[in-house]
Amino acid sequence: MHGVELNPHGVETGTELAKADGVSDRCTFQVIDASKPLPFADNTFDAVFCNDVMCHIPGRQGVLEDWKRVLKPGGKLVYTDAMVVSGTVSSDELAARSLIGKYYFPCLGENEKLLEAVGLKGIEAIDTTAEAAQVAKRWHDSRALYQEELQEPASNFEGLQKFLYTVYDLLNTRKLSRIMFVGAK
């Protein structure tokens, strides 16, 4: 297993957890920008998995082409996109949802078109919106319950609470959807 992450802290954490679980001989982690061509040979991996990161990556078709390149024949590509526009979203809602980073919001059906365009087969779109909405709501509610213990500056706390509630609301009302996409080389 080879993990890539843009954040060096994430690579450090992954490496530490692999050691603690006794699997460091089978897992490696590397700081890599997944929006650029991956430094791996063609036909290297049985699977490429990306969880809720694609929404931060510009040039989606080029990224998918590169991920297909590193897949072995018959290999699977699996990624989630939590920013699929599936309803009418206001500019205020988009601003609140984008509060903690840069995001790209594809229209419903756009990911499937791109997967087809890069030549992947057996494309599936699995809607995980309801589950994602509940996770956001639980996170929001838990943070509210433990606000004092978090010892977070008030402005940070309120900003993140607004963000989490907006995520929940947009998903719960189906204005945005979180979808897992699967395709095979």
Side-chain angles (χ1 to χ4, degrees):
M1 201 274 312
H2 193 91
V4 303
E5 167 65 53
L6 186 59
N7 182 337
H9 178 69
V11 169
E12 183 180 308
T13 300
T15 300
E16 290 172 9
L17 290 171
K19 284 180 188 171
D21 288 344
V23 295
S24 60
D25 60 326
R26 295 177 294 186
C27 299
T28 59
F29 300 91
Q30 203 173 344
V31 176
I32 293 176
D33 183 346
S35 71
K36 297 181 176 27
L38 298 173
F40 305 112
D42 296 359
N43 305 313
T44 299
F45 299 106
D46 294 311
V48 172
F49 175 76
C50 180
N51 187 52
D52 289 351
V53 174
M54 184 61 88
C55 59
H56 300 285
I57 299 176
R60 192 172 294 217
Q61 183 167 341
V63 170
L64 292 172
E65 288 168 350
D66 191 56
W67 292 358
K68 179 187 173 198
R69 175 189 64 79
V70 300
L71 280 174
K72 292 177 182 176
K76 298 274 187 163
L77 169 62
V78 179
Y79 72 93
T80 58
D81 190 337
M83 302 296 183
V84 178
V85 178
S86 49
T88 303
V89 184
S90 74
S91 59
D92 290 339
E93 290 168 322
L94 282 178
R97 180 61 181 91
S98 301
L99 190 63
I100 64 169
K102 179 150 181 112
Y103 294 97
Y104 295 87
F105 295 85
C107 295
L108 199 58
E110 184 65 20
N111 281 290
E112 295 91 332
K113 287 179 192 173
L114 292 173
L115 289 165
E116 288 175 12
V118 303
L120 291 173
K121 307 293 180 215
I123 297 166
E124 295 179 68
I126 303 161
D127 192 325
T128 61
T129 305
E131 295 83 358
Q134 290 308 309
V135 168
K137 181 80 164 79
R138 287 181 187 137
W139 194 1
H140 173 275
D141 294 351
S142 293
R143 284 178 47 79
L145 187 62
Y146 293 101
Q147 180 178 1
E148 188 173 314
E149 288 89 340
L150 290 170
Q151 297 181 2
E152 199 172 3
S155 62
N156 287 0
F157 179 82
E158 292 303 324
L160 191 49
Q161 288 300 95
K162 179 180 179 180
F163 169 79
L164 289 169
Y165 190 81
T166 300
V167 171
Y168 161 72
D169 187 54
L170 288 170
L171 292 169
N172 192 52
T173 59
R174 295 281 180 167
K175 293 178 181 179
L176 290 182
S177 294
R178 181 181 186 270
I179 303 175
M180 179 176 11
F181 298 95
V182 181
K185 183 171 179 180

